[in-house]
Amino acid sequence: MDQSVAIQETLAEGEYCVIAVQGVLCEGDSRQSRLLGLVRYRLEHGGQEHALFLYTHRRMAITGDDVSLDQIVPVSRDFTLEEVSPDGEFYIIGSDVTVQLDTAELSLVFQLPFGSQTRMFLHEVARACPGFDSATRDPEFLWLSRYKCAELELEMPTPRGCNSDLDTWPGYATIGGGRYPSRKERWRLEEARPQGAGSVLFWGGAMEKTGFRLMERAHGGGFAWGRSARDGRRDEALEEAGREMSAAAGSRERNSAGGSNFDGLRPNGKGVPVDQSSRGQDKPESLQPRQNKSRSEITDMVRSSTITVSDKAHILSMQKFGLRDTIVKSHLLQKEEDYTYIQNFRFFVGTYNVNGQSPKECLRLWLSNGIQAPDVYCVGFQELDLSKEAFFFHDTPKEEEWFKAVSEGLHLDAKYAKVKLIRLVGIMLLLYVRQEHAAYISEVEAETVGTGIMGRMGNKGGVAIRFQFHNTSICIVNSHLAAHIEEYERRNQDYKDICSRMQFCQPDPSLPPLTISNHDVILWLGDLNYRIEELDVEKVKKLIEEKDFQTLYAYDQLKIQVAAKTVFEGFTEGELTFQPTYKYDTGSDDWDTSEKCRAPAWCDRILWKGKNITQLSYQSHMALKTSDHKPVSSVFDIGVRVINDELYRKTLEEIVRSLDKMENANIPSVSLSKREFCFQNVKYMQLKVESFTIHNGQVPCHFEFINKPDEESYCKQWLNANPSRGFLLPDSDIEIDLELFVNKTTATKLNSGEDKIEDILVLHLDRGKDYFLSVSGNYLPSCFGSPIHTLCYMREPILDLPLETISELTLMPIWTGDDGSQLESPMEIPKELWMMVDYLYRNAVQQEDLFQQPGLRSEFEHIRDCLDTGMIDNLSASNHSVAEALLLFLESLPEPVICYSTYHNCLECSGNYTASKQVISTLPTFHKNVFHYLMAFLQELLKNSAKNHLDENILASIFGSLLLRNPAGHQKLDMTEKKAAQEFIHQFLCNPL
């Protein structure tokens, strides 16, 4: 997910967030999540300056409301950002990248996620450093004065495994500018390179090059040094392809044809060249992968994340490669079976809903008892932390507690490298590999998808890690789906949302992201929450007592939904030979004896999809009693494609030589199955898709939708082409989806007529011509995205009004009605708001988890249509769906209930109820009416808190960010001020209106 969008919302005019990455600030034993954004400011004289903006954040940063500015670090001449690699315990091998930020004033250490986003971030920071050109004026950073940042006095932390003196770090590669390496590090560089060779260093963007020829590595993360070929008869094209493809094949050591040793020197992953001439040169090629690597080599090779030839549908060329290299890669994909063989590796997959508890028992009974040491561990948790702090602010100490417990519970017969940890609120996934396999793990990416209320909250959703293991792409998904026996449709929707929204960056940022389905092997685990239906509690318990699991399984919701092909199509699950894993009394093996007395169910499941997968075991672990769930595990043998170097080399030579016969001078051309697209009756938040096919001629080509002159994007905000770029082999096809989706950002202008469903797309072929596609259609105006005062003047349903009237009312000034204008008598509040609140008042004041559990998308569309047509008598939806529709309505208001102009006054008055009421009294009449109406309704809900389990803090947190929004274009507030905004709403919930 691109979190730079959230940062951009916080910036002032003229400032642009180039790229953002989420990391962890390490201060001693403290670990605090931070969002790092590289911000560019263009100066009036034509130059530019950069600064690093550090944000605290709650949840995944989706909008500006989710982040708060913590500090700003100007990218000045004394700024450096260095990757460091302190020694540590075995489990950090191949883990996230540790970087040190230094200026004259401060020193900070961050852990950044291993993957392409971090590589691009570090690359952009390197480009932003001002360098040492004396003719260039020093940066002044006058534009930062508006932030009035207090000077920070921070001590540099001392990471584990190193001394505080920087010279004693095992190694570092500066990607910023402003400081030369220590004498010791300069000596190590000289020591590492052979006599007569030079080095390549980057200091503030300046490059010095001697002796060696610089080549960018295939994945863009680091650089490779290689000698120029001495054999003049060597095929130049083969040499170039060989250089790139040797990295693409997973950092294997091999000699090139013709005897030149261009692979003799390689980087160690940190910009320091190391001599590998003594490493494995005389070892014969065989069908077994090379494994006996030193620990430092494994660390470097995992972090280098070079491209391997896999991911059949999507692995394409890096931008810098050019067309020839792309063709080579594509042909290698087609011939993969010619140079690979299948080797089985053992995977342990485990899932555990820990019910917010801290670890109290040794986890070896779950993770390692009675099994051989696995090659790979995939361990998932749900409900890691149930506190409100974890829910609203994303922070929890439980992450470190359970991570430590898992690390201590791994099999004692092997050493393991922690490859990745990813968490969304209480959903956490850990990936470990045996230390000897770490060299063959690459392209590690991790993502999260929240499916909670408003599609954002992370109390439900999924996390995933994808990676390449040798030549096989693998995706691990851990999900926690909607609860309650009757909510199986919501669970189905959660699954589909995770599948559609979980996207992973590719090594080439110009290529479309990968989805879960774009992998050879998919392992899906978690608390899927599907229950036993149609049987009463006693009947379920009787069947369990008789161990008649086969009869009980016939009533399992997941089995029924899979059979109906509504979820997990193409997935397999092993036979359930263990009793249901939920719900137990904590600390025992007794079924739930609480007032609710929930029926037992197989909530915790493990499924898989792919070839060459054999399940060896599938079981629960009754011995662990920490939670009201029992942990589940499954052990698999998974066949992984391993490259035979000799066969790979021969295949590569054949491909490269065959390309010499191809005429690349021809101009590519394609045919399109359709060029005009009409989207009829587009509705708010309802996806519309039109598809067409591109058929390629006889010349390989790149295609891309490009921006029109003076436009920032290739299409309008409500439109998206998927994929928007790609590569086509001769006589091949690709289907493009044009996706139209109107949300809060685009709805208001479509309602007012300022924008229309009209656009022209330009499809560009590299070295070829442009093709033009026309998009047209009509938008059905909605109360969603309409201003409060506009809706108050609409006495008729919005869809019954002429478009001219809707446009006129939408464009009215916000103070209309307070100035004595003689328009038709308005309503005090929007009728649509009244319809939703009245429905909830009549049906949901005692509803548990109201405003915390999401509704169904199909029901939201029904609610929207009822509101827009005025057919309130037809409204039939769950309480959760109506509650979520109310929140989405408030979020879609172009001017929030508490107007932007009074926002800062509200913060200043927080804690002073009298002054706060005075601020509310200054609101426009319709906004003031809506505020009092909502507060009265929320107070009614609180009168029933014994039943609905709501309290003032929950409601203040949920409604505070919707009613009291930060003005667009203003700098974000820190956490203290956000809590002041929450306190402002809290006052009105606890005091008479």
Side-chain angles (χ1 to χ4, degrees):
M1 178 175 291
D2 184 6
Q3 297 184 82
S4 63
V5 176
I7 292 179
Q8 189 62 49
E9 291 185 15
T10 73
L11 301 178
E13 185 177 356
E15 299 168 2
Y16 174 70
C17 183
V18 178
I19 191 170
V21 65
Q22 187 170 319
V24 176
L25 174 63
C26 306
E27 298 180 280
D29 293 331
S30 171
R31 299 291 185 271
Q32 300 179 44
S33 183
R34 289 291 186 274
L35 185 61
L36 290 74
L38 178 64
V39 175
R40 180 182 67 214
Y41 181 78
R42 295 198 181 279
L43 304 171
E44 292 182 0
H45 58 74
Q48 58 187 27
E49 296 178 348
H50 295 79
L52 207 57
F53 282 46
L54 310 181
Y55 293 84
T56 58
H57 59 98
R58 57 176 184 176
R59 306 188 291 270
M60 175 64 71
I62 299 173
T63 70
D65 292 328
D66 297 326
V67 298
S68 295
L69 185 64
D70 181 53
Q71 64 189 102
I72 298 174
V73 183
V75 181
S76 55
R77 292 193 188 279
D78 65 356
F79 175 97
T80 63
L81 188 63
E82 307 165 344
E83 181 182 348
V84 293
S85 55
D87 290 333
E89 288 78 6
F90 67 87
Y91 59 78
I92 68 167
I93 298 176
S95 63
D96 296 348
V97 178
T98 301
V99 298
Q100 180 170 317
L101 186 159
D102 282 307
T103 70
E105 291 79 25
L106 60 83
S107 182
L108 302 172
V109 173
F110 295 92
Q111 282 186 346
L112 303 182
F114 174 63
S116 61
Q117 186 71 6
T118 291
R119 288 190 296 277
M120 289 188 288
F121 176 81
L122 297 177
H123 177 66
E124 291 294 339
V125 172
R127 292 178 57 192
C129 292
F132 295 99
D133 185 357
S134 59
T136 304
R137 57 186 296 180
D138 287 335
E140 297 177 338
F141 301 107
L142 299 179
W143 56 284
L144 293 178
S145 60
R146 66 172 65 90
Y147 294 98
K148 300 180 180 177
C149 287
E151 290 188 4
L152 300 175
E153 296 179 357
L154 300 176
E155 294 183 2
M156 172 184 168
T158 304
R160 292 178 296 177
C162 66
N163 298 322
S164 58
D165 184 358
L166 184 61
D167 286 341
T168 63
W169 285 84
Y172 66 94
T174 301
I175 64 167
R179 190 177 66 196
Y180 290 92
S182 67
R183 179 177 300 174
K184 177 178 178 180
E185 288 304 319
R186 288 200 297 270
W187 176 82
R188 289 186 65 216
L189 284 170
E190 295 293 337
E191 179 186 52
R193 61 177 178 253
Q195 185 176 3
S199 65
V200 180
L201 302 176
F202 284 83
W203 307 109
M207 182 175 75
E208 178 181 326
K209 183 164 92 171
T210 63
F212 279 87
R213 186 154 60 95
L214 176 64
M215 304 182 300
E216 286 193 320
R217 186 184 292 168
H219 206 22
F223 303 89
W225 286 261
R227 298 182 186 276
S228 300
R230 294 173 182 171
D231 186 352
R233 294 170 297 176
R234 179 181 178 82
D235 184 311
E236 184 177 348
L238 178 59
E239 178 184 359
E240 283 300 314
R243 282 189 171 95
E244 305 297 356
M245 297 305 154
S246 64
S251 294
R252 289 171 296 278
E253 295 126 13
R254 67 171 73 88
N255 291 331
S256 61
S260 99
N261 184 21
F262 64 82
D263 223 5
L265 269 185
R266 294 198 180 160
N268 68 353
K270 302 171 186 59
V272 181
V274 294
D275 188 358
Q276 295 189 345
S277 58
S278 62
R279 192 181 303 155
Q281 271 193 345
D282 300 326
K283 188 170 183 177
E285 301 286 344
S286 72
L287 289 179
Q288 296 302 317
R290 297 175 176 81
Q291 296 179 340
N292 298 319
K293 305 249 188 279
S294 70
R295 172 179 156 185
S296 62
E297 290 176 79
I298 293 170
T299 304
D300 300 336
M301 295 177 78
V302 172
R303 284 184 175 168
S304 71
S305 186
T306 51
I307 296 175
T308 56
V309 185
S310 66
D311 204 344
K312 316 299 178 286
H314 286 268
I315 187 69
L316 297 174
S317 137
M318 298 294 290
Q319 278 182 310
K320 56 181 173 288
F321 278 177
L323 185 60
R324 184 182 181 87
D325 307 283
T326 302
I327 298 170
V328 171
K329 277 204 175 72
S330 300
H331 282 291
L332 279 170
L333 295 182
Q334 294 177 339
K335 295 177 177 291
E336 184 181 38
E337 292 187 1
D338 294 348
Y339 57 87
T340 61
Y341 62 94
I342 300 296
Q343 179 177 333
N344 280 335
F345 293 88
R346 188 147 295 181
F347 281 63
F348 176 96
V349 181
T351 179
Y352 195 4
N353 182 319
V354 296
N355 193 33
Q357 304 298 310
S358 294
K360 302 171 184 175
E361 306 163 292
C362 177
L363 299 185
R364 286 204 182 97
L365 291 174
W366 170 37
L367 298 175
S368 57
N369 187 45
I371 62 173
Q372 295 179 10
D375 297 297
V376 180
Y377 270 103
C378 313
V379 183
F381 294 94
Q382 307 83 39
E383 295 190 359
L384 202 72
D385 193 332
L386 298 176
S387 68
K388 295 181 180 65
E389 290 74 20
F391 182 66
F392 290 112
F393 303 111
H394 197 65
D395 294 326
T396 173
K398 301 288 180 65
E399 175 182 309
E400 185 66 26
E401 293 174 6
W402 283 102
F403 167 57
K404 182 179 179 183
V406 171
S407 298
E408 293 173 348
L410 300 179
H411 209 290
L412 295 176
D413 291 346
K415 287 189 175 182
Y416 291 90
K418 187 201 84 174
V419 178
K420 192 68 179 176
L421 180 156
I422 182 72
R423 180 176 63 84
L424 174 67
V425 187
I427 310 169
M428 184 168 79
L429 179 60
L430 284 158
L431 175 65
Y432 299 82
V433 299
R434 287 180 71 141
Q435 184 169 332
E436 59 265 31
H437 299 322
Y440 304 98
I441 298 287
S442 64
E443 294 187 54
V444 182
E445 298 286 349
E447 278 297 344
T448 68
V449 169
T451 62
I453 191 75
M454 300 173 70
R456 289 176 54 185
M457 300 300 243
N459 56 320
K460 294 294 188 291
V463 301
I465 300 172
R466 63 91 50 202
F467 59 99
Q468 302 291 131
F469 189 24
H470 288 278
N471 219 47
T472 294
S473 60
I474 300 174
C475 184
I476 318 294
V477 185
N478 174 23
S479 66
H480 190 191
L481 308 185
H484 306 304
I485 186 169
E486 70 279 2
E487 294 290 345
Y488 68 90
E489 288 184 333
R490 177 70 219 191
R491 288 187 274 281
N492 295 351
Q493 181 176 303
D494 287 350
Y495 164 78
K496 293 173 184 176
D497 283 349
I498 292 169
C499 288
S500 63
R501 292 168 49 199
M502 189 76 75
Q503 298 185 334
F504 307 94
C505 294
Q506 290 213 60
D508 180 356
S510 71
L511 295 176
L514 300 174
T515 62
I516 293 172
S517 62
N518 299 140
H519 292 83
D520 300 321
V521 173
I522 305 169
L523 301 173
W524 197 304
L525 58 114
D527 179 358
L528 306 187
N529 251 325
Y530 287 95
R531 309 301 174 90
I532 305 295
E533 62 183 25
E534 297 185 16
L535 300 180
D536 59 38
V537 176
E538 294 307 317
K539 178 64 173 176
V540 171
K541 290 181 179 178
K542 185 174 185 297
L543 289 171
I544 295 171
E545 186 177 347
E546 296 171 352
K547 296 190 181 301
D548 190 357
F549 300 138
Q550 186 174 357
T551 300
L552 188 63
Y553 182 55
Y555 298 92
D556 175 68
Q557 286 181 336
L558 180 56
K559 176 185 182 297
I560 295 168
Q561 294 303 309
V562 169
K565 297 185 177 180
T566 56
V567 291
F568 290 103
E569 191 168 358
F571 280 81
T572 304
E573 183 182 20
E575 182 182 358
L576 294 173
T577 59
F578 51 91
Q579 69 184 48
T581 54
Y582 174 83
K583 177 180 185 186
Y584 296 88
D585 288 340
T586 302
S588 76
D589 294 333
D590 300 327
W591 297 115
D592 180 24
T593 58
S594 68
E595 180 183 351
K596 293 180 180 178
C597 193
R598 298 193 187 277
W602 284 294
C603 290
D604 310 283
R605 312 289 274 267
I606 298 170
L607 299 92
W608 73 90
K609 186 177 184 179
K611 296 180 180 180
N612 304 312
I613 302 174
T614 303
Q615 187 178 56
L616 304 179
S617 67
Y618 190 22
Q619 60 183 322
S620 66
H621 298 265
M622 297 294 293
L624 273 70
K625 308 179 192 300
T626 298
S627 173
D628 57 355
H629 290 248
K630 298 297 182 182
V632 172
S633 71
S634 182
V635 176
F636 298 93
D637 271 348
I638 298 180
V640 171
R641 285 202 169 274
V642 177
I643 290 179
N644 173 262
D645 288 347
E646 183 177 355
L647 295 178
Y648 171 87
R649 190 69 195 175
K650 290 179 180 178
T651 304
L652 176 61
E653 288 181 22
E654 291 173 3
I655 293 171
V656 171
R657 286 169 182 159
S658 69
L659 289 181
D660 293 336
K661 302 175 183 178
M662 181 181 291
E663 291 292 334
N664 286 325
N666 294 335
I667 297 175
S669 66
V670 300
S671 60
L672 309 182
S673 64
K674 192 176 179 181
R675 297 199 191 190
E676 296 182 356
F677 305 87
C678 185
F679 294 86
Q680 294 289 344
N681 299 327
V682 177
K683 296 181 179 181
Y684 183 79
M685 284 186 68
Q686 184 169 323
L687 179 65
K688 291 261 191 178
V689 180
E690 292 280 344
S691 301
F692 71 98
T693 300
I694 303 176
H695 176 77
N696 191 26
Q698 299 307 307
V699 180
C701 71
H702 288 285
F703 69 88
E704 179 179 9
F705 288 96
I706 61 172
N707 299 2
K708 298 180 287 294
D710 302 323
E711 294 192 8
E712 296 181 354
S713 176
Y714 69 86
C715 64
K716 291 188 176 180
Q717 282 185 284
W718 37 260
L719 189 62
N720 180 59
N722 184 26
S724 62
R725 56 176 68 90
F727 171 75
L728 284 168
L729 287 170
D731 199 30
S732 62
D733 300 276
I734 188 169
E735 186 172 78
I736 307 294
D737 290 334
L738 296 184
E739 303 165 341
L740 197 157
F741 188 76
V742 176
N743 58 18
K744 61 180 181 179
T745 305
T746 54
T748 303
K749 287 191 175 182
L750 288 168
N751 280 339
S752 68
E754 295 175 276
D755 191 13
K756 298 182 184 299
I757 305 296
E758 294 177 357
D759 202 359
I760 299 290
L761 302 184
V762 182
L763 179 64
H764 173 71
L765 300 186
D766 187 23
R767 301 184 305 117
K769 67 177 186 177
D770 294 340
Y771 298 79
F772 297 89
L773 291 74
S774 67
V775 175
S776 62
N778 68 296
Y779 178 69
L780 298 180
S782 176
C783 61
F784 290 86
S786 295
I788 288 176
H789 64 287
T790 297
L791 294 173
C792 288
Y793 278 101
M794 291 183 181
R795 303 190 70 87
E796 300 296 325
I798 191 169
L799 288 179
D800 289 349
L801 296 173
L803 295 178
E804 296 78 8
T805 302
I806 297 172
S807 177
E808 179 184 345
L809 293 176
T810 304
L811 295 173
M812 284 193 311
I814 190 174
W815 290 96
T816 301
D818 290 29
D819 58 4
S821 58
Q822 299 300 312
L823 292 172
E824 182 180 356
S825 177
M827 295 171 287
E828 292 187 355
I829 63 172
K831 58 188 178 303
E832 296 84 1
L833 175 65
W834 173 83
M835 290 176 186
M836 289 184 284
V837 171
D838 179 67
Y839 185 97
L840 295 173
Y841 181 74
R842 289 185 288 106
N843 299 288
V845 291
Q846 295 185 357
Q847 176 69 57
E848 187 177 353
D849 294 332
L850 195 67
F851 296 117
Q852 297 173 82
Q853 179 160 322
L856 289 171
R857 182 171 297 114
S858 59
E859 291 188 344
F860 166 76
E861 293 174 358
H862 168 70
I863 295 165
R864 177 205 59 214
D865 292 346
C866 288
L867 297 177
D868 290 340
T869 60
M871 305 292 287
I872 187 60
D873 293 338
N874 295 337
L875 182 58
S876 175
S878 70
N879 295 333
H880 293 302
S881 293
V882 178
E884 185 172 27
L886 174 59
L887 298 181
L888 290 170
F889 174 82
L890 296 173
E891 184 186 45
S892 74
L893 294 171
E895 183 80 21
V897 174
I898 300 176
C899 299
Y900 288 128
S901 60
T902 59
Y903 178 71
H904 293 290
N905 289 339
C906 292
L907 295 183
E908 293 172 1
C909 296
S910 181
N912 185 334
Y913 187 51
T914 301
S916 298
K917 289 195 295 183
Q918 179 61 36
V919 173
I920 295 298
S921 70
T922 66
L923 294 175
T925 300
F926 303 125
H927 286 250
K928 181 169 54 182
N929 293 345
V930 168
F931 180 82
H932 286 303
Y933 181 66
L934 287 172
M935 291 301 105
F937 168 61
L938 297 181
Q939 286 188 357
E940 287 297 317
L941 290 180
L942 290 172
K943 292 177 183 177
N944 293 271
S945 59
K947 293 284 187 179
N948 59 36
H949 300 154
L950 291 170
D951 62 34
E952 296 91 342
N953 291 325
I954 292 175
L955 292 178
S957 296
I958 293 171
F959 282 86
S961 61
L962 297 173
L963 305 181
L964 190 61
R965 284 190 245 146
N966 193 57
H970 286 244
Q971 182 54 41
K972 297 306 297 178
L973 305 174
D974 60 25
M975 193 58 69
T976 302
E977 290 173 313
K978 278 198 170 183
K979 289 182 177 178
Q982 181 178 327
E983 173 60 25
F984 182 86
I985 300 299
H986 190 276
Q987 299 170 109
F988 290 90
L989 298 176
C990 301
N991 294 292
L993 297 174

